[in-house]
Amino acid sequence: MKLTDISYIKNQMEAHGVNFKKKFGQNFLTNPRVVERIAENAAEGVLEIGPGLGVLTAELCRNAKKVVAVEIDETIIPLLKENTAGFDNLKIINTDVLKLDIKKLIDEEFEGCESVSVCANLPYYITTPVIMALAESEAGFESITVMIQKEVVTRLCARPGNGEYGAITASLSYYGKCEKLFDVSAGNFIPKPKVDSAVMRIELYSEPPVDTDRKMLMKVIRGAFSQRRKTLVNSLGSEFSHLNKAELTDIITEAGFAPDIRGEKLSLEDFAKIADIISRS
């Protein structure tokens, strides 16, 4: 696979006068087996974010019925098109994925595909915003498979009670189940990043796992982790200033928890109980 050959990558970029752009977090894969393993999780239709030179794009095109690749760097588009010229099931869009109406894109581009997934080697600097935008889009994705910073995967896959468990972990668990697939060391990229990566798969739920008001639930989660060193009673006050400490204590007790419990101990279902009680109060 020449697109994972370091010499080929450098020569092609030099020939086109293209440089690696730190502002876009560009680190290109040089291990063909990693590329193949990520592409194995592709559905019939695939949205790829940050295709770069097209190493994963090409493999996705071999596995899927249709691939839509969204690339923010306009200078790399000619190389991407050159490297994927042999595929007629690919559409390339030059834009920032965070500025897209993701649901509209999926509805328009994947008509006829029974399932659509996301596969991406995400730049570290936009990991959380992109994952949450995809999860919240209501686009009907079957799954999201992403390669991101290893530490972030650990955080997103953490369980309640774990020190890595936080607001993003609890929030994401409303939309799907996270699973770490495998690690990818820094030596598998050019340029070599300062940290290791890991590949994570999020199996998205067709229906939310809890029956509660989503906005209220997310507000409770935000409040619970706004001051994670403090007890839940004290940290929730940041989001629910209209409730005094005594009222918040009663709400937490009614939900079945000790007044001195911290947010990191609670599951999504636990946060939903609190959200329901606050909604009624």
Side-chain angles (χ1 to χ4, degrees), residues 1 5 37 55 74 112 155 159-160 163 204 228 230 273:
M1 187 182 289
D5 183 275
R37 291 180 70 183
V55 59
E74 64 179 356
R155 190 178 310 136
R159 304 294 300 165
L204 295 170
R228 62 181 301 148
K230 294 188 176 183
K273 289 180 184 177

Side-chain angles (χ1 to χ4, degrees), residues 79-225:
L79 285 80
L80 176 59
K81 289 182 176 179
E82 179 180 314
N83 291 331
T84 57
F87 300 102
D88 60 5
N89 60 337
L90 170 67
K91 179 171 183 176
I92 298 170
I93 300 175
N94 177 208
T95 191
D96 181 349
V97 69
L98 292 175
K99 295 179 179 178
L100 279 175
D101 182 331
I102 297 174
K103 187 179 187 307
K104 182 180 178 182
L105 174 72
I106 300 308
D107 290 342
E108 292 177 349
E109 297 294 341
F110 293 100
E111 185 177 357
C113 290
E114 291 186 4
S115 59
V116 180
S117 63
V118 177
C119 288
N121 172 17
L122 287 181
Y124 297 151
Y125 77 102
I126 58 165
T127 293
T128 299
V130 169
I131 289 177
M132 290 308 297
L134 293 168
E136 294 171 350
S137 68
E138 299 182 343
F141 293 120
E142 178 182 83
S143 63
I144 300 171
T145 301
V146 290
M147 180 161 57
I148 55 178
Q149 188 173 339
K150 185 178 178 179
E151 291 180 359
V152 179
V153 171
T154 300
R155 190 178 310 136
L156 295 180
C157 295
R159 304 294 300 165
N162 185 299
E164 298 292 336
Y165 184 74
I168 181 64
T169 323
S171 299
L172 192 56
S173 69
Y174 176 82
Y175 299 100
K177 180 181 179 181
C178 299
E179 177 189 7
K180 177 181 173 181
L181 299 183
F182 57 91
D183 293 331
V184 184
S185 65
N188 290 285
F189 299 89
I190 180 176
K192 183 179 177 180
K194 296 179 180 179
V195 297
D196 290 333
S197 299
V199 176
M200 177 186 76
R201 180 180 171 91
I202 308 169
E203 291 282 353
L204 295 170
Y205 300 127
S206 56
E207 295 291 338
V210 292
D211 183 17
T212 192
D213 181 80
R214 182 179 62 84
K215 288 184 178 180
M216 177 61 76
L217 174 63
M218 295 304 164
K219 190 174 182 179
V220 169
I221 291 172
R222 283 196 306 273
F225 291 97

